[in-house]
Amino acid sequence: EAGVVQSPRYKIIEKKQPVAFWCNPISGHNTLYWYLQNLGQGPELLIRYENEEAVDDSQLPKDRFSAERLKGVDSTLKIQPAELGDSAVYLCASSSQGYNEQFFGPGTRLTVL
Amino acid sequence: DQQVKQNSPSLSVQEGRISILNCDYTNSMFDYFLWYKKYPAEGPTFLISISSIKDKNEDGRFTVFLNKSAKHLSLHIVPSQPGDSAVYFCAAIPAQGAQKLVFGQGTRLTINP
């Protein structure tokens, strides 16, 4: 069974530029999460989807961040414009409905110069 | 407001000995706890979990203990092996929290040969 796939693995951009991350969850997992992980910290939830519906986006900075999960499978997280403080690892995870265990992808390491 | 705390940023243990990683939480509404293991440049991998109705869960070399009155849990690894060297994250889910994981800061475990 394939795991959670994320791309790109690494991204370097200049501040004020836009950037997008893509995630493909484990097949059959209807719940998808985007997390932000700063250096030396644990992951922090940005947004959670149940199928194509964003059911928890309370931690998503909506002035510059947006996300979508069309057709309830793949998801894209976008930042526009990026700021220096956005440099971090962006993790995608998925889980089956009713199960607590979440399965993580390898993450995208973003560096904003 | 750090609801899940791992107060030891790092731990070094001799191969073959027991590794004990600790985690404290402040929110009494947490009712499910998980441990994740993370290697460099990879996403966190689920290791073991425990429900608040239990005080111990064992899986091979890994055992998690939960002390609800002290709001404390620990992960025991015995015997420790070099491949156990990684960052370990404690995470908690609140009752009715809809699978929202709250992570600690992580503890870097190094197993010395």
Side-chain angles (χ1 to χ4, degrees), chain A:
Chain A
E1 178 183 270
V4 176
V5 179
Q6 290 188 248
S7 70
R9 293 294 312 275
Y10 304 91
K11 188 73 176 179
I12 301 174
I13 61 172
E14 294 188 347
K15 63 181 180 182
K16 301 185 181 180
Q17 294 300 306
V19 65
F21 315 123
W22 175 81
C23 173
N24 179 246
I26 292 174
S27 177
H29 283 190
N30 62 323
T31 308
L32 183 146
Y33 314 78
W34 282 102
Y35 287 87
L36 165 69
Q37 185 177 16
N38 287 306
L39 188 65
Q41 300 295 318
E44 298 173 46
L45 181 69
L46 288 172
I47 188 168
R48 176 172 66 93
Y49 282 92
E50 293 288 349
N51 299 306
E52 64 274 7
E53 181 182 0
V55 296
D56 183 356
D57 63 356
S58 58
Q59 301 303 311
L60 190 72
K62 298 180 184 62
D63 56 336
R64 298 184 299 108
F65 286 65
S66 64
E68 60 182 12
R69 191 184 184 197
L70 301 176
K71 301 182 181 178
V73 181
D74 295 359
S75 178
T76 302
L77 178 69
K78 298 179 181 178
I79 309 174
Q80 182 170 14
E83 297 179 351
L84 295 176
D86 296 332
S87 295
V89 175
Y90 291 83
L91 292 161
C92 179
S94 68
S95 66
S96 292
Q97 192 168 16
Y99 287 86
N100 288 313
E101 291 78 13
Q102 298 179 20
F103 297 86
F104 285 81
T108 297
R109 180 175 294 278
L110 173 67
T111 302
V112 182
L113 303 176

Side-chain angles (χ1 to χ4, degrees), chain B residues 6-67:
Chain B
Q6 294 176 256
N7 292 317
S8 297
S10 62
L11 177 66
S12 185
V13 174
Q14 204 72 23
E15 181 179 0
R17 306 292 290 268
I18 183 170
S19 295
I20 301 177
L21 297 102
N22 293 304
C23 178
D24 297 295
Y25 61 95
T26 57
N27 189 342
S28 59
M29 297 303 294
F30 288 141
D31 71 345
Y32 197 86
F33 303 88
L34 307 91
W35 283 94
Y36 280 82
K37 174 181 180 179
K38 186 181 183 305
Y39 291 120
E42 294 184 12
T45 302
F46 170 71
L47 195 56
I48 192 169
S49 61
I50 188 167
S51 166
S52 61
I53 63 173
K54 296 184 175 181
D55 55 16
K56 177 183 175 181
N57 188 26
E58 188 172 357
D59 183 2
R61 297 186 297 114
F62 303 90
T63 303
V64 56
F65 296 91
L66 175 62
N67 183 333

